[in-house]
Amino acid sequence: MPHDYHLKDPHTEQRLFRNRMLVALLGVVFLLGVLVARFYNLQVVNYEDYRTQSDENRIQVRPVAPTRGLIYDRNGILLADNRASYNLSIVRERVRDMDATLELIGNLVRLDENDVAKFQKRLKRRRPSYEPVPLRFRLNDDEIARISVNQFRMPGVLVEAELVRYYSLGDLFAHSVGYVGRISDSDLNNFTEDDVRRYRGTRSIGKVGLERSYEDLLLGEVGYENVEINALSRVLRVLERQDPKPGADLVLNLDARLQQVASDALGDRRGAVVAIDVNSGGVLAFVSKPSFDPNLFVTGISFADYRALSDSLDVPLFNRAVQGRYPPGSTLKPLMGLGGLQAGIISRETTVKDPGFYKLPNDPRIYRDHVRWGHGEKVDLVQAMAQSCDVYFWDMAHRWDIDDMHSIASHFGLGAKTGIDLPIENSGLFPSRDWKRGARGMPWFPGDSLNAVLGQGFVLATPLQLAVMTATIANRGTHYRPQMVKSINGVEQPSEILHNLEARPDHWDLVFEGMEAVVNHSTGTGKRAGKDLDFRVAGKSGTAQVVGIAQGARYDSEALQERHRDHALFVAFAPVDNPRIAVSVLVENGEGGGKVAAPVARELFAEWMSRPQQELQKAANATHLGEGASNG
Amino acid sequence: MASRDFSHRLSDVHGSLRRPVSLSRRLHMDIPLLVLLLVLAALGLGVLYSASGGDMNYVRRQSIFMCVAFVGMFIVAQIPLDFYRRWSPWAYLAGCVLLVGVLFFGTKAMGAQRWLEIGGFRFQPSEVMKLGVPMAVAAYLHQRRLPPSLITVIGALAIVAVPAALIVRQPDLGTSILIAASGLFALYLAGLSWKMISVAAMALLVAAYPIWHWGLHDYQRQRILTLLNPDDDRFNTGWNIFNSKAAIGSGGIYGKGYLQGTQSQLDFLPESHTDFIIAVLSEEWGMRGALLLLLLYVLIIARGIYISFMAQYVFGRLLAGSITLTFFVYVFVNIGMVTGLLPVVGVPLPVISYGGTSLITLMAGFGLLMAVGTERRRVHF
């Protein structure tokens, strides 16, 4: 439509346009100025700030967790191993919307409320926000694949490989080796600042057993690396690295085969077996039954599993060998006999008439022997031990000062912690006048001595203490600290002698004779301990009345009957002429010690003595760095 | 000899009567603009190589897009301006029909319905309207007496409003505003009275409150709030801005060096090869690089304004002016949003950002600009 032009004024129009354009140009110049000013502000004025921010974004100091030290039995069988496990973790700092991320993850892998709740708890703990917080442990291959494919949608979510503890022999060593678990709130509360540093990058900590008592050595030293990461927290390259120091490897005195034999011999019964190398104090077997699978605890036990364990009538989590306090009963007789001999109360010639009961002068109470018709007219010490004559010991106790009795018992490790390298131990109890006045506010009565000499009344001991006592008798007075760990990183641990009892050799001979008769005499109570063995065993049975339930566990009425039965005990060492191994056996509510507990000891002896002598000798020599034991 | 002399003189006569016919004129190319665009494109490929983390696939595909876009520009520049003026109402109507089509049959992606799929080929009608609207307004005003009367203004506003409203519905507020702006620029350059401009500004101010409350989606409100206080929400909406500012700021004056930008190379910068690409450039090349890029844009805009000044007729003048100013708005909005001055509204950085569609539209716009620039010569020749 060219004709339109005539109605218009091109000149004015052009001038108008140019004016408008010039005004617009002013706006353009102004806005360009704004942009230039903005660049100046960001890149010159605030350069330092952004430089720092950008470096923080880019470089992270990451802790590198050390690998936990391994634990072997004395023959190199791996008891605690580290195995790779894959976790799903979240770096809080990189997540824009946590709820949405969790929902997304929930669509990809199995996530129950418990996982999320635990995760939220972990998230709340103060830890650097760049450290990954685990959400799910033990991903399977399928889950790993699903997460990896979708990872780009979920910044901050990563699959991490982690070494977790694996206990290859399961419940066999649960009460000795123990287990590690996730670092808990209470662990954290007890952490020093140094601990916080040392545990950076580490998620597990020894909870019970050797895992706990040797935690410092097993843990190792944390390492660091400066890494360059991208926004998905993926490490692109390592700029600098200080390697972690792996934890120390432990070799135990424990022998996996002996342990298995002990466990099998105890069978389904509740109880404990402790075997000690007489010449070093090294613990060869350490069984508490029932046991549990320690692997359940490693990455966090489920509520149901834990309930099953904690609610069980049999209290499988309870370490009977070191925590169980039982009246030792007649197993104390050899020790008490030695004490009486040393104190001059009795001698080889001392005999006592046993009509089946005992009466203190000026006391109407009648103390009945467990054999109603008694053991005869003239019972001597050897006979009193072999047939477990109570009246003989009552008579001795009546004439013996309790504090002296207490003193000799202490030399054998009763009434105090044995000092074994486990985290929790009960000290048991052997009473004295002072103790009774302090604890009960009462004077010592003659009847108390009669109870004490038979390992009843106030006397309580752990199976471990009884094993230590037996080993101390076996090597004629050298009291070793019981020790689980044989060597650390290849360095042998010296045995430690806690006390050396000076006693007349003929007194020792008499005690040995009595204990040998227990097993080998036709009327001995512990014949089953030496059955069909081609070496001689010395021992002592015990039966302890169940006065109260020490553990304070909840018992139901149906089980009550059975659980009121006497505990069966047996302590023994072998061979008599050159003792190597001392054993204590406890079977809860097993009744007769000789009947039930002695055969268990026999199995251990049979197994241990079947090893070639050189092998045993080599092991004993390697372990034994302390002073020579007095093998008379 | 004589004949030779004659011919020589004849050519002399020709030469003095007619202006020299250079290759550029025959091809309807504006050489300064072409050179600037080629430099910008080359720079863009360089930055893209770094921004994509050294991925040659991106660079190769973008190179193909660029070739297509430059050929498109060349073709657009060949067509007489009068043709565009006459056909622009039809093009505009067709565009509106397509936009209505999008509302009914459009393909959804990322929560918006912006695409039409025809025979497996996906395209965005709003892209067409980026040129369709200023062209239609310019053509409309070309036929009216200027400065425009109230009736004319209302007519022009209607031309702008219809596609803008249709695009808002997709929803795509950013594109809608930019398209509306391109139309309004034409109206402004045609001499819309300052009185009316102030009235409109007042009206907008009054409408601000209801628009804030009822006219915006939550995410749009959030983007504006984020702008006011970006550190408040560092890991959600503020994430992009936080990291792009850190990238630009940490580049300093001299930059960290090509391919050395840690923020961009380590994926801290989302959209680093598309909308946020200038952060990569600023981090690696520093303020020098950013100012160099701005200078290139300023020169292109200056050339565009020069062409509009030289245009003989209203249609070409308004079209060239509008395209140039809209181009500047693109540059400003993109850089403003990446540097944290403006809310984040998916606007790519012209020629530099990865992406074919916007590049082709953009170069078609430059083709129109060149058509305007060579029109005078066409008429004379």
Side-chain angles (χ1 to χ4, degrees):
Chain A
M1 306 161 229
H3 56 278
D4 282 358
Y5 297 133
H6 305 296
L7 303 171
K8 301 168 88 177
D9 176 358
H11 192 68
T12 316
E13 278 174 7
Q14 185 160 29
R15 211 182 53 219
L16 184 70
F17 173 83
R18 289 187 176 183
N19 286 339
R20 283 307 172 91
M21 199 44 137
L22 285 174
V23 173
L25 199 58
L26 283 178
V28 167
V29 169
F30 171 76
L31 292 176
L32 277 171
V34 169
L35 291 185
V36 171
R38 184 62 175 170
F39 278 113
Y40 181 80
N41 176 271
L42 291 173
Q43 299 189 297
V44 178
V45 179
N46 293 315
Y47 168 68
E48 288 299 331
D49 283 357
Y50 286 118
R51 173 99 227 172
T52 315
Q53 239 171 47
S54 148
D55 281 348
E56 276 174 7
N57 249 354
R58 176 167 78 95
I59 297 167
Q60 273 184 3
V61 180
R62 291 203 160 186
V64 184
T67 45
R68 197 171 174 86
L70 303 176
I71 303 178
Y72 301 91
D73 92 329
R74 66 189 298 124
N75 304 310
I77 294 173
L78 198 50
L79 305 179
D81 191 8
N82 299 312
R83 292 198 174 176
S85 161
Y86 293 88
N87 303 337
L88 176 61
S89 296
I90 296 182
V91 179
R92 184 176 43 181
E93 184 179 81
R94 305 270 170 249
V95 174
R96 296 171 210 181
D97 183 346
M98 185 62 79
D99 290 336
T101 302
L102 287 177
E103 200 188 316
L104 209 56
I105 295 169
N107 294 334
L108 299 170
V109 300
R110 186 181 53 74
L111 261 193
D112 56 38
E113 283 171 30
N114 201 21
D115 290 327
V116 177
K118 280 184 176 170
F119 170 74
Q120 302 283 12
K121 253 178 84 182
R122 283 183 211 117
L123 207 57
K124 272 189 209 130
R125 282 189 211 149
R126 266 167 301 164
R127 54 153 84 209
S129 60
Y130 60 77
E131 277 190 19
V133 179
L135 169 64
R136 252 293 309 280
F137 297 105
R138 295 183 194 210
L139 296 173
N140 59 35
D141 289 347
D142 192 38
E143 289 172 323
I144 293 169
R146 259 178 280 152
I147 292 290
S148 304
V149 166
N150 289 285
Q151 205 162 29
F152 72 96
R153 291 159 64 196
M154 312 178 286
V157 173
L158 44 138
V159 174
E160 289 181 299
E162 184 196 18
L163 288 176
V164 300
R165 223 25 166 188
Y166 178 71
Y167 302 103
S168 42
L169 295 181
D171 62 355
L172 196 55
F173 288 90
H175 285 296
S176 46
V177 170
Y179 54 81
V180 297
R182 294 289 165 197
I183 295 170
S184 68
D185 281 332
S186 60
D187 292 328
L188 278 177
N189 290 337
N190 293 326
F191 270 12
T192 62
E193 246 170 64
D194 191 47
D195 288 335
V196 171
R197 186 189 61 77
R198 288 191 347 122
Y199 280 90
R200 196 148 278 166
T202 302
R203 299 222 176 93
S204 304
I205 188 169
K207 295 281 184 185
V208 303
L210 293 168
E211 289 277 28
R212 175 152 169 199
S213 51
Y214 284 88
E215 174 64 23
D216 279 354
L217 291 167
L218 288 167
L219 173 64
E221 272 293 325
V222 66
Y224 284 97
E225 56 185 16
N226 283 335
V227 295
E228 194 172 78
I229 56 151
N230 67 11
L232 297 170
S233 292
R234 189 163 287 159
V235 176
L236 298 181
R237 65 189 157 131
V238 176
L239 304 171
E240 210 186 323
R241 184 178 163 108
Q242 189 199 329
D243 286 326
K245 249 175 67 190
D249 292 342
L250 305 183
V251 174
L252 307 185
N253 283 308
L254 289 175
D255 183 292
R257 259 192 292 166
L258 191 68
Q259 180 85 357
Q260 186 69 59
V261 165
S263 175
D264 291 348
L266 209 48
D268 291 337
R269 288 168 291 192
R270 299 180 303 279
V273 177
V274 178
I276 288 182
D277 181 343
V278 168
N279 297 309
S280 71
V283 179
L284 303 175
F286 187 96
V287 173
S288 172
K289 280 213 148 181
S291 192
F292 58 92
D293 181 4
N295 292 307
L296 290 176
F297 288 86
V298 173
T299 55
I301 189 166
S302 76
F303 188 67
D305 284 343
Y306 187 74
R307 245 193 109 104
L309 288 174
S310 64
D311 283 4
S312 167
L313 223 56
D314 296 335
V315 278
L317 294 176
F318 184 68
N319 192 339
R320 290 168 162 82
V322 282
Q323 285 174 272
R325 307 196 307 165
Y326 304 91
S330 303
T331 57
L332 285 193
K333 277 175 182 160
L335 184 156
M336 289 293 137
L338 181 77
L341 290 169
Q342 284 293 101
I345 310 293
I346 53 169
S347 70
R348 179 181 270 278
E349 287 72 39
T350 306
T351 58
V352 165
K353 181 186 172 207
D354 176 10
F357 64 91
Y358 183 74
K359 262 191 73 172
L360 280 170
N362 312 320
D363 189 342
R365 188 170 162 187
I366 291 170
Y367 293 84
R368 294 208 174 276
D369 199 300
H370 64 95
V371 179
R372 191 176 292 173
W373 49 89
H375 292 92
E377 284 296 312
K378 283 188 169 185
V379 179
D380 68 359
L381 179 59
V382 172
Q383 218 181 326
M385 280 201 260
Q387 296 163 16
S388 206
C389 166
D390 294 345
V391 174
Y392 184 93
F393 285 91
W394 280 329
D395 178 64
M396 179 183 86
H398 169 56
R399 295 184 283 131
W400 195 10
D401 179 55
I402 177 61
D403 287 342
D404 198 32
M405 206 188 285
H406 172 84
S407 164
I408 189 101
S410 310
H411 291 335
F412 286 82
L414 296 178
K417 293 187 178 179
T418 64
I420 191 176
D421 43 352
L422 282 176
I424 298 169
E425 186 189 357
N426 239 318
S427 59
L429 178 67
F430 197 93
S432 65
R433 266 187 237 281
D434 283 348
W435 170 81
K436 195 176 177 195
R437 196 168 297 119
R440 302 284 158 109
M442 289 211 277
W444 188 259
F445 299 125
D448 292 338
S449 291
L450 302 198
N451 276 332
V453 80
L454 287 194
Q456 299 276 5
F458 303 120
V459 186
L460 292 171
T462 64
L464 174 66
Q465 283 176 323
L466 296 181
V468 170
M469 173 193 80
T470 311
T472 306
I473 293 171
N475 62 30
R476 299 181 178 240
T478 306
H479 175 187
Y480 286 102
R481 182 198 294 282
Q483 205 153 315
M484 289 279 196
V485 172
K486 183 161 144 45
S487 69
I488 297 170
N489 263 352
V491 178
E492 295 289 333
Q493 295 306 103
S495 336
E496 191 184 343
I497 295 169
L498 295 176
H499 191 260
N500 221 328
L501 185 73
E502 300 292 339
R504 276 169 53 182
D506 58 315
H507 290 170
W508 283 120
D509 293 341
L510 200 53
V511 171
F512 272 46
E513 202 180 310
M515 288 179 81
E516 211 185 330
V518 168
V519 179
N520 299 290
H521 199 271
S522 58
T523 57
T525 54
K527 278 182 292 187
R528 287 178 171 86
K531 201 170 170 237
D532 300 333
L533 294 177
D534 52 5
F535 52 89
R536 287 172 86 79
V537 173
K540 183 70 196 82
S541 64
T543 303
Q545 286 161 23
V546 175
V547 185
I549 309 306
Q551 298 89 289
R554 285 186 277 138
Y555 285 168
D556 68 21
S557 56
E558 244 177 69
L560 216 57
Q561 289 295 326
E562 191 255 335
R563 277 156 213 263
H564 275 310
R565 290 182 201 153
D566 294 346
H567 294 325
L569 292 140
F570 196 78
V571 301
F573 62 86
V576 174
D577 43 356
N578 182 22
R580 267 196 215 107
I581 175 171
V583 170
S584 86
V585 179
L586 162 95
V587 180
E588 277 185 15
N589 315 114
E591 297 186 292
K595 208 174 93 194
V596 177
V600 176
R602 187 218 164 265
E603 295 304 308
L604 271 86
F605 293 141
E607 164 63 27
W608 194 245
M609 297 306 290
S610 71
R611 307 287 178 85
Q613 289 298 312
Q614 304 96 313
E615 185 193 309
L616 286 174
Q617 203 52 54
K618 212 172 64 190
N621 285 342
T623 313
H624 183 60
L625 297 178
E627 285 174 50
S630 50
N631 298 332
Chain B
M1 199 50 190
S3 64
R4 230 201 284 156
D5 253 354
F6 176 75
S7 69
H8 178 75
R9 288 185 56 142
L10 192 69
S11 71
D12 255 359
V13 169
H14 271 268
S16 61
L17 288 180
R18 298 178 180 185
R19 311 173 122 255
V21 184
S22 69
L23 186 67
S24 71
R25 253 194 280 153
R26 280 203 200 124
L27 295 177
H28 298 286
M29 287 280 105
D30 185 84
I31 295 300
L33 194 54
L34 181 67
V35 169
L36 288 169
L37 287 171
L38 285 172
V39 170
L40 192 62
L43 180 76
L45 288 178
V47 181
L48 177 67
Y49 178 72
S50 175
S52 61
D55 188 344
M56 273 312 286
N57 283 330
Y58 278 102
V59 179
R60 215 171 287 129
R61 278 164 68 189
Q62 184 72 352
S63 306
I64 294 168
F65 287 143
M66 278 179 175
C67 290
V68 171
F70 272 92
V71 168
M73 179 179 78
F74 180 81
I75 294 168
V76 168
Q78 305 310 308
I79 297 165
L81 208 55
D82 215 37
F83 176 87
Y84 291 114
R85 186 175 60 78
R86 269 184 278 134
W87 283 96
S88 57
W90 301 107
Y92 171 83
L93 276 177
C96 285
V97 169
L98 288 175
L99 282 176
V100 172
V102 168
L103 284 186
F104 290 102
F105 315 108
T107 311
K108 275 191 184 171
M110 293 177 287
Q113 199 164 342
R114 297 175 187 169
W115 295 267
L116 268 187
E117 224 172 83
I118 299 166
F121 183 73
R122 208 160 95 156
F123 84 115
Q124 209 171 333
S126 58
E127 208 60 47
V128 177
M129 291 307 253
K130 282 180 178 171
L131 293 174
V133 168
M135 231 193 282
V137 174
Y140 170 77
L141 292 173
H142 182 89
Q143 299 168 337
R144 305 293 186 278
R145 183 184 282 275
L146 299 180
S149 64
L150 185 62
I151 303 290
T152 306
V153 169
I154 290 168
L157 287 179
I159 293 171
V160 172
V162 172
L166 288 170
I167 294 167
V168 162
R169 286 290 300 279
Q170 289 181 354
D172 189 352
L173 184 65
T175 307
S176 170
I177 287 175
L178 286 169
I179 286 174
S182 66
L184 293 175
F185 279 140
L187 189 55
Y188 158 81
L189 291 172
L192 174 68
S193 76
W194 288 111
K195 212 169 83 187
M196 277 191 243
I197 292 174
S198 5
V199 169
M202 293 287 281
L204 204 66
L205 216 63
V206 172
Y209 185 80
I211 286 175
W212 173 260
H213 274 273
W214 295 293
L216 294 180
H217 289 262
D218 280 342
Y219 75 92
Q220 290 166 335
R221 266 196 293 274
Q222 188 55 50
R223 281 175 178 176
I224 294 170
L225 288 174
T226 299
L227 182 74
L228 298 176
N229 203 351
D231 296 328
D232 227 30
D233 190 19
R234 193 179 138 182
F235 293 108
N236 292 315
T237 342
W239 170 265
N240 293 1
I241 293 303
F242 175 85
N243 280 301
S244 73
K245 275 162 67 185
I248 296 170
S250 64
I253 297 174
Y254 305 106
K256 294 174 183 170
Y258 186 53
L259 301 177
Q260 304 294 310
T262 50
Q263 288 280 315
S264 37
Q265 300 296 330
L266 304 179
D267 294 347
F268 279 101
L269 204 56
E271 313 274 334
S272 63
H273 60 287
T274 58
D275 292 357
F276 280 73
I277 196 164
I278 195 172
V280 179
L281 175 98
S282 310
E283 185 186 17
E284 298 188 343
W285 305 29
M287 193 162 157
R288 291 186 304 183
L291 292 187
L292 174 77
L293 181 73
L294 275 183
L295 181 68
L296 276 176
Y297 283 133
V298 167
L299 291 175
I300 289 169
I301 289 158
R303 187 66 191 172
I305 290 173
Y306 172 81
I307 289 172
S308 72
F309 269 39
M310 293 299 132
Q312 299 259 305
Y313 305 111
V314 172
F315 175 70
R317 201 180 285 153
L318 294 182
L319 184 59
S322 164
I323 287 172
T324 306
L325 289 181
T326 309
F327 177 75
F328 172 71
V329 169
Y330 274 70
V331 172
F332 181 77
V333 169
N334 176 273
I335 298 179
M337 105 190 168
V338 175
T339 55
L341 289 173
L342 295 173
V344 177
V345 283
V347 172
L349 185 63
V351 189
I352 307 290
S353 283
Y354 177 80
T357 322
S358 63
L359 185 68
I360 288 167
T361 313
L362 203 67
M363 294 307 254
F366 284 115
L368 283 176
L369 213 55
M370 289 185 178
V372 173
T374 52
E375 179 68 7
R376 184 168 52 118
R377 289 150 208 172
R378 193 194 301 276
V379 173
H380 277 264
F381 195 58

